[in-house]
Amino acid sequence: MAYVNADALVSTEWLAEHLKAPDLRIVDASWYLPFMNRNGKAEYNEGHIPGAVYFDIDDISDTDSKLPHMLPSPEKFASRMRRLGIGDGNRIVVYDGSDNHLSAPRAWWMFRVFGHTDVAVLNGGLKKWKAEGRPVEDLPPLPRERHFTARRNDLLVRDVEQVRANLASGREQVLDARSKGRFDGSEPEPRPGLRGGHIPGSKCLPAATLTDPATGLFRNGPELKALLQDAGIDMSKPVITTCGSGVSACSLTLALHLLGHRQVAVYDGSWTEWGGRADLPAEVA
């Protein structure tokens, strides 16, 4: 596959072989946009990979913020991980139930933000796992609490003022994971009250294109590199990823990480924040 950081993905075959490893923790981070009419927690309760715990992106967040699923404090993240039985020294594998790794990369990124780098995404997700006839269960796990040390790495995160300052400096490239129509402003935003368009000067690479539709797997290294180059990204310069609310931006972050890019940060507020503020500039097609 020619990835630089191939350990950020694991195959269904690998996971099946290591399913009962004592240091492994499996995390179901399924989350869906409202118009998809799917409920990640309900689907988890109906059937999940044996031993998997449910990572609720909306709950493991700053619930005092008016913006959806913003990063929580290190203390809250550590508390939630302890309850899930995830601790220091664990190898973590994250998956979701979408067709294109919609939300698992968000959990992957959150673990990395809070200092836990031994984490990977299940390539192909739950869909591939089930298609291969591998086991699922509906039993709720009973995890034993583990100590989790959370230290926030601010190099992996950007806030609205940093992105606004970047408009003038141009130091970091901005890459948007939304569809081309939403990016151009020709399609409506799924959240009410948001303008169409994009952050001035940003590039567009829809997150859905990172997955091979025939296999459900992340595209290989050369294919990902070609997509990024076609989007206008210079791999030698820093990148800020963005999307609608900071979820699918993490798929771009994972793709860049797979290719060895070392300076990638997620704009956590993304278009929900930027597009909802009249004082911030926006461009359309």
Side-chain angles (χ1 to χ4, degrees):
M1 291 198 178
Y3 298 134
V4 175
N5 292 314
D7 59 352
L9 294 176
V10 299
S11 66
T12 51
E13 292 81 7
W14 184 95
L15 183 57
E17 291 172 6
H18 295 82
L19 202 56
K20 296 185 179 180
D23 63 339
L24 181 70
R25 296 294 180 272
I26 307 169
V27 173
D28 185 323
S30 297
W31 172 91
Y32 304 101
L33 288 161
F35 72 86
M36 294 178 173
N37 295 316
R38 295 179 66 179
N39 184 303
K41 182 64 179 293
E43 291 183 16
Y44 165 83
N45 288 333
E46 291 171 4
H48 50 265
I49 294 175
V53 295
Y54 185 67
F55 187 108
D56 188 335
I57 286 173
D58 287 322
D59 174 65
I60 306 171
S61 69
D62 178 4
T63 49
D64 292 329
S65 173
K66 294 180 180 179
L67 299 170
H69 40 253
M70 294 286 283
L71 281 171
S73 67
E75 294 77 15
K76 180 173 182 178
F77 190 83
S79 173
R80 291 294 192 272
M81 293 310 102
R82 282 196 298 269
R83 290 186 200 173
L84 294 177
I86 298 171
D88 299 341
N90 283 150
R91 168 73 163 157
I92 300 168
V93 173
V94 188
Y95 71 87
D96 66 53
S98 72
D99 293 337
N100 55 5
H101 309 96
L102 173 63
S103 54
R106 171 73 185 192
W108 168 85
W109 172 75
M110 289 175 70
F111 277 111
R112 293 176 61 83
V113 167
F114 291 112
H116 196 107
T117 57
D118 194 2
V119 55
V121 169
L122 178 64
N123 203 5
L126 184 62
K127 184 175 181 179
K128 185 172 187 290
W129 180 270
K130 286 182 172 180
E132 294 167 347
R134 302 190 188 277
V136 295
E137 64 182 18
D138 58 5
L139 301 172
L142 300 172
R144 294 177 59 185
E145 287 200 5
R146 292 280 303 271
H147 178 73
F148 188 99
T149 304
R151 298 185 181 91
R152 176 167 158 147
N153 181 354
D154 285 323
L155 294 175
L156 303 182
V157 190
R158 293 291 179 270
D159 64 24
V160 65
E161 293 307 323
Q162 291 170 313
V163 178
R164 182 178 359 212
N166 189 65
L167 293 176
S169 72
R171 193 185 78 83
E172 297 176 294
Q173 305 166 97
V174 180
L175 184 60
D176 196 318
R178 292 176 300 154
S179 69
K180 194 69 166 61
R182 290 172 64 190
F183 181 84
D184 290 341
S186 60
E187 293 177 5
E189 285 294 311
R191 294 177 177 85
L194 297 185
R195 297 172 290 172
H198 55 268
I199 297 168
S202 58
K203 311 292 186 182
C204 179
L205 177 55
T209 64
L210 303 175
T211 300
D212 183 336
T215 65
L217 300 173
F218 264 96
R219 295 188 184 277
N220 63 35
E223 290 173 334
L224 290 178
K225 189 173 182 180
L227 286 171
L228 287 158
Q229 288 176 338
D230 289 347
I233 293 299
D234 183 340
M235 292 293 288
S236 69
K237 296 180 179 179
V239 179
I240 299 170
T241 63
T242 184
C243 60
S245 64
V247 175
S248 60
C250 299
S251 294
L252 296 178
T253 302
L254 175 56
L256 287 158
H257 176 76
L258 287 168
L259 295 176
H261 203 302
R262 309 185 100 181
Q263 293 180 286
V264 187
V266 173
Y267 170 28
D268 201 19
S270 283
W271 193 250
T272 300
E273 180 174 39
W274 194 279
R277 286 181 49 171
D279 62 317
L280 297 171
E283 289 181 344
V284 293

